[in-house]
Amino acid sequence: MILTYAIYFNFACFGAALLMTLAKVVSAQDIGDRILALDTMVINVIALLVLYGLMAGTAVYFEASMIIAMLGFVSTVAYARFILRGNIIE
Amino acid sequence: MELIVEIVIAFFLVVSGIFGFTGSYGLIKLGDPMSRLHAPTKATTLGVGGLLLAAMASIYVFYEHVSLHELLITLFLFLAAPVTAHFIAKSHIHRHENAEDLPDPGDDPDWAVLHHDPEDVHRPSHGPED
């Protein structure tokens, strides 16, 4: 019972966090802020996926969140590197 | 016994939710770009870490097997967050800071991010902000 409410509370927190990062992606003044907001968005999505797996009682979503974590990290680094060097793989 | 375990897991969940919310709120609230870098890379990562601990505990208690996937994700996120922050800070220095405004680089002749090598054709010159 208490666990159900805690899961709902956590859904609300990370859902609001996801909306705030989305607003930041739209309204960011600078490209660095936008990269940071996208990276935070990826982390929030990982949290929501893990939470959904916890609620549904399956382990399928952990593999999915692992893949999203790796792709998010690589894309953030690639984006930042593109700004730094104008090129990703030299 | 069951109730105590549920309370512990619920505590982890609530704390991680607050941390995750704080991280993203800091992203839109803080004024300076480098302050904004601080909130999501630390608070949100810690929030996801707590959430994954709760997931591990609940799988161990309710399904009675040890799951290490969560630990992998936690480890990966904790390794990835500083690297991400470092890259974003480097791109910020590259685009918005002048070499005169930065602190003394010490033994090195200049800041590597702002160093302009004429023979490096891939590197864009450090132009004005756009």
Side-chain angles (χ1 to χ4, degrees), chain A residues 24-79:
Chain A
K24 190 69 189 176
V25 169
V26 173
S27 72
Q29 300 289 319
D30 184 56
I31 197 106
D33 272 352
R34 196 161 281 137
I35 302 171
L36 184 62
L38 283 170
D39 187 61
T40 316
M41 207 175 193
V42 167
I43 296 178
N44 284 329
V45 167
I46 292 166
L48 283 174
L49 261 181
V50 171
L51 202 58
Y52 188 71
L54 183 65
M55 198 178 76
T58 70
V60 179
Y61 296 98
F62 291 118
E63 272 83 13
S65 48
M66 187 80 210
I67 290 169
I68 290 179
M70 286 176 170
L71 282 178
F73 171 63
V74 170
S75 56
T76 309
V77 169
Y79 205 168

Side-chain angles (χ1 to χ4, degrees), chain A residues 10 33 54 62-63 85, chain B residues 13 36 58 69-70 122-123:
Chain A
N10 209 327
D33 272 352
L54 183 65
F62 291 118
E63 272 83 13
R85 304 285 294 178
Chain B
L13 284 175
R36 275 202 286 278
S58 87
H69 290 247
E70 292 81 357
H122 291 302
R123 175 146 205 155

Side-chain angles (χ1 to χ4, degrees), chain B residues 42-96:
Chain B
K42 292 170 192 68
T44 311
T45 310
L46 191 60
V48 177
L51 177 60
L52 291 160
L53 278 181
M56 265 181 91
S58 87
I59 284 175
Y60 179 67
V61 171
F62 297 119
Y63 301 98
E64 289 174 355
H65 70 93
V66 179
S67 167
L68 293 177
H69 290 247
E70 292 81 357
L71 218 56
L72 266 179
I73 301 173
T74 316
L75 190 71
F76 187 79
L77 283 179
F78 274 65
L79 286 177
V83 180
T84 307
H86 179 224
F87 264 94
I88 294 172
K90 265 173 92 170
S91 71
H92 173 80
I93 291 176
H94 177 64
R95 282 171 57 87
H96 295 296

Side-chain angles (χ1 to χ4, degrees), chain B residues 6 11 14 19 26 37 40 63 65 74 76 102 106 109 116 119 125:
Chain B
E6 278 199 11
F11 174 75
V14 169
F19 267 107
L37 188 59
Y63 301 98
H65 70 93
T74 316
F76 187 79
L102 291 170
H116 182 61
E119 299 192 0
S125 62

